[in-house]
Amino acid sequence: MKKINYDVIIIGAGPAGMVAAGYLEKTAVSVRVLEKQHFPRFTIGESLIPRCMDNFAEAGLLEDLQKENYQKKTGARFIKNGKIAEFDFSKKFGAGWDWTWQVPRADFDLKLTESIQKRGVEIDFGMEVISAAYNDGQWDIVYKNPDGILGSLSSRFIIDASGNGRVLAGLLELEAPAKIYNHSSIFTHIQEENRPVGKEGTQITFEIINTGVWFWYIPFSNGISSLGFVGENDWFETFSGSQDEIFKQMLNQCEFYKDRFTGQKQLFEPVKLSGISKNVQLLHGEGFALAGNSAEFLDPVFSSGVAFATESGLLSAKLATRQLGGEVIDWDKEYTQHIQKAINVFATYVKEWYTGRLQDIFFTDNASEKVKKQICAVLAGYVWNSKNPFVRNHDKAIRNLHRLLHAEKIN
Ligand SMILES: Cc1cc2nc3c(=O)[nH]c(=O)nc-3n(C[C@H](O)[C@H](O)[C@H](O)COP(=O)(O)OP(=O)(O)OC[C@H]3O[C@@H](n4cnc5c(N)ncnc54)[C@H](O)[C@@H]3O)c2cc1C
């Protein structure tokens, strides 16, 4: 029988792939990473949430990241019609990290790969996986380099962390209709002149343009700030011109930030993405697991993408290790159910954000501190704590609270 090259091949060196690699490196499992691009490479997804920190720690990545002086994120601010709602992660319900970072992903993802390489894991950059076939417990994987030259490797298991490359979802025809099909985004970076000192120049803020559209301001510690809009395609279609012109017209609709950001030098022409939500029919199969965006992505509104990527990267690596060690793993129970729980909670919050109910709750003067803490724990990514009623009864809790607040307003 042909020798199998590696126990696990990871496709993609973003956060999902690097957290998986970090966990596997600590075990007896042999691992190699194939990455299509050369790093540093730009990608979006710059506001982390505290749950990521648990995953970076468990993958042995936290210590290196902590040396990088990224902008600390201790909460988030939302602004709508001049009203402000702030969440402070130190005031959340239950245990967990009280802070995380706002990160320029080109640099952050590079640091993740360097930290992993330092530990001896091979990452091949510029290698695009183009096919993978599974037979008799063995994957045969074909990749090509930028010159089009083909190579092949074999493994017992694949963790597909290829993000929007969605390698296995494509090859195995696992794509499913997205849960949110009508949202687009446009974003750029600026080197902000005269950035205010203190909170105004460090705190992540979301300005709500209307119920279906919002703007983000994410300042980094390197003086660069990320600006972007997310929302319904219909709203995007009301603008015309070059991406630059469109972005300027959109900025003009920000009551709070219009004056501050209009005329600031952009570091690249605004990038527009459509169809940002992704979905699959299943999260695992014989000899493989899908992690991060290669599996599912809902919406950027609660910055859950990297948390989900690291959670699924870590868990898939743990389960693959046990399986390769001879254990029979119930992947539905141990993987799909855990990941699906998070997807379900965030899906409710995303949905209720765009119905406007959650926005009403954020900006009401009448919500109790207790409720705010429970919602704050969800925003921090602690979405498995069944002691939190806003996790346990997520689908009903928001609607019931909204009804109650609305009734109080009427009376
Ligand atoms: C507009 C927008 C805003 C967002 N904002 C946030 C935010 O504020 N916070 C947040 O947490 N998330 C955010 N996200 C989501 C976030 O971008 C992703 O969830 C996150 O980057 C997923 O990480 P990943 O490791 O799964 O994939 P990625 O980081 O995309 O990494 C996948 C890697 O796989 C490689 N690859 C692809 N195809 C192949 C192939 N065939 N062979 C080999 N390698 C391959 C790619 O080159 C890439 O480097 C946002 C998303 C959008 C669209």
Side-chain angles (χ1 to χ4, degrees):
M1 197 179 138
K2 200 176 133 196
K3 188 177 173 307
I4 299 182
N5 301 125
Y6 292 91
D7 292 321
V8 179
I9 283 184
I10 298 172
I11 310 176
M18 290 305 89
V19 165
Y23 180 84
L24 293 174
E25 185 276 327
K26 296 198 279 180
T27 69
V29 166
S30 61
V31 56
R32 184 154 171 179
V33 184
L34 297 175
E35 165 56 53
K36 179 175 157 182
Q37 301 183 67
H38 288 279
F39 283 25
R41 55 96 175 88
F42 174 84
T43 191
I44 200 69
E46 300 151 328
S47 150
L48 308 185
I49 54 175
R51 177 62 187 167
C52 296
M53 306 303 258
D54 297 290
N55 298 330
F56 289 133
E58 205 170 341
L61 289 159
L62 198 58
E63 211 181 304
D64 279 350
L65 294 175
Q66 276 173 320
K67 293 178 194 149
E68 294 304 316
N69 194 30
Y70 294 120
Q71 177 58 54
K72 211 166 167 181
K73 174 182 169 188
T74 56
R77 176 171 72 166
F78 298 81
I79 300 180
K80 186 177 186 179
N81 299 331
K83 273 194 114 172
I84 291 181
E86 280 191 72
F87 288 88
D88 174 347
F89 293 137
S90 71
K91 295 189 179 139
K92 70 182 176 313
F93 175 88
W97 281 76
D98 289 344
W99 62 274
T100 182
W101 291 298
Q102 294 150 201
V103 296
R105 284 286 300 278
D107 179 71
F108 186 77
D109 288 16
L110 175 67
K111 289 292 168 334
L112 288 175
T113 58
E114 286 174 349
S115 184
I116 290 296
Q117 284 174 311
K118 210 170 65 182
R119 288 160 57 184
V121 176
E122 274 180 277
I123 304 177
D124 297 274
F125 291 98
M127 300 296 176
E128 178 184 3
V129 172
I130 53 168
S131 83
Y134 190 68
N135 275 308
D136 248 357
Q138 169 174 337
W139 283 100
D140 289 305
I141 298 164
V142 179
Y143 55 89
K144 71 169 188 216
N145 72 14
D147 300 324
I149 297 167
L150 300 184
S152 69
L153 282 172
S154 58
S155 68
R156 292 177 210 282
F157 199 91
I158 288 181
I159 295 178
D160 181 4
S162 61
N164 290 334
R166 302 176 67 75
V167 173
L168 290 189
L171 292 173
L172 306 179
E173 299 184 0
L174 302 176
E175 294 284 0
K179 293 197 175 84
I180 298 170
Y181 55 89
N182 61 343
H183 282 182
S184 296
S185 177
I186 186 164
F187 46 83
T188 186
H189 281 176
I190 58 166
Q191 179 83 51
E192 197 181 347
E193 272 178 42
N194 305 319
R195 182 196 266 180
V197 286
K199 207 167 140 181
E200 272 315 321
T202 55
Q203 189 180 34
I204 182 167
T205 302
F206 303 93
E207 180 173 351
I208 290 115
I209 312 294
N210 62 51
T211 308
V213 181
W214 52 277
F215 166 78
W216 78 66
Y217 165 56
I218 308 176
F220 305 133
S221 57
N222 61 6
I224 292 170
S225 302
S226 175
L227 311 180
F229 294 85
V230 178
E232 290 158 353
N233 294 343
D234 289 353
W235 184 78
F236 276 75
E237 280 156 21
T238 61
F239 301 92
S240 58
S242 67
Q243 305 292 48
D244 253 344
E245 288 159 350
I246 288 174
F247 202 79
K248 278 196 193 99
Q249 293 162 38
M250 289 179 173
L251 266 182
N252 208 29
Q253 302 215 358
C254 293
E255 206 181 289
F256 187 82
Y257 279 122
K258 171 169 63 182
D259 294 339
R260 180 164 155 193
F261 294 134
T262 301
Q264 292 271 358
K265 187 170 173 286
Q266 291 166 4
L267 299 182
F268 53 86
E269 184 177 54
V271 174
K272 183 180 176 218
L273 299 178
S274 297
I276 50 187
S277 182
K278 307 284 176 206
N279 196 6
V280 276
Q281 295 163 34
L282 45 85
L283 298 176
H284 66 87
E286 214 186 329
F288 75 91
L290 308 181
N293 268 33
S294 80
E296 165 105 24
F297 180 65
L298 286 168
D299 192 84
V301 66
F302 296 121
S303 306
S304 59
V306 174
F308 172 72
T310 54
E311 190 82 21
S312 50
L314 182 66
L315 185 56
S316 60
K318 283 183 185 175
L319 298 176
T321 304
R322 283 170 47 201
Q323 181 164 302
L324 290 162
E327 245 186 272
V328 176
I329 304 293
D330 184 342
W331 281 84
D332 276 342
K333 188 159 169 241
E334 294 205 46
Y335 192 63
T336 303
Q337 280 181 25
H338 180 80
I339 298 300
Q340 199 59 49
K341 236 182 218 170
I343 293 173
N344 292 347
V345 174
F346 274 114
T348 298
Y349 278 70
V350 167
K351 193 179 92 202
E352 295 293 8
W353 176 262
Y354 290 107
T355 61
R357 287 193 197 101
L358 201 52
Q359 296 182 29
D360 289 347
I361 290 171
F362 276 27
F363 292 100
T364 180
D365 299 321
N366 301 331
S368 71
E369 273 309 303
K370 191 171 146 200
V371 160
K372 209 171 162 189
K373 281 175 183 223
Q374 290 165 347
I375 292 177
C376 186
V378 173
L379 302 190
Y382 291 100
V383 289
W384 293 272
N385 181 359
S386 57
K387 290 195 180 121
N388 182 350
F390 277 80
V391 167
R392 192 176 61 244
N393 304 319
H394 58 94
D395 47 345
K396 294 199 194 84
I398 294 170
R399 264 180 291 139
N400 288 346
L401 176 61
H402 187 266
R403 208 173 297 131
L404 195 73
L405 291 171
H406 193 65
E408 277 171 11
K409 230 192 277 173
I410 292 167
N411 294 329

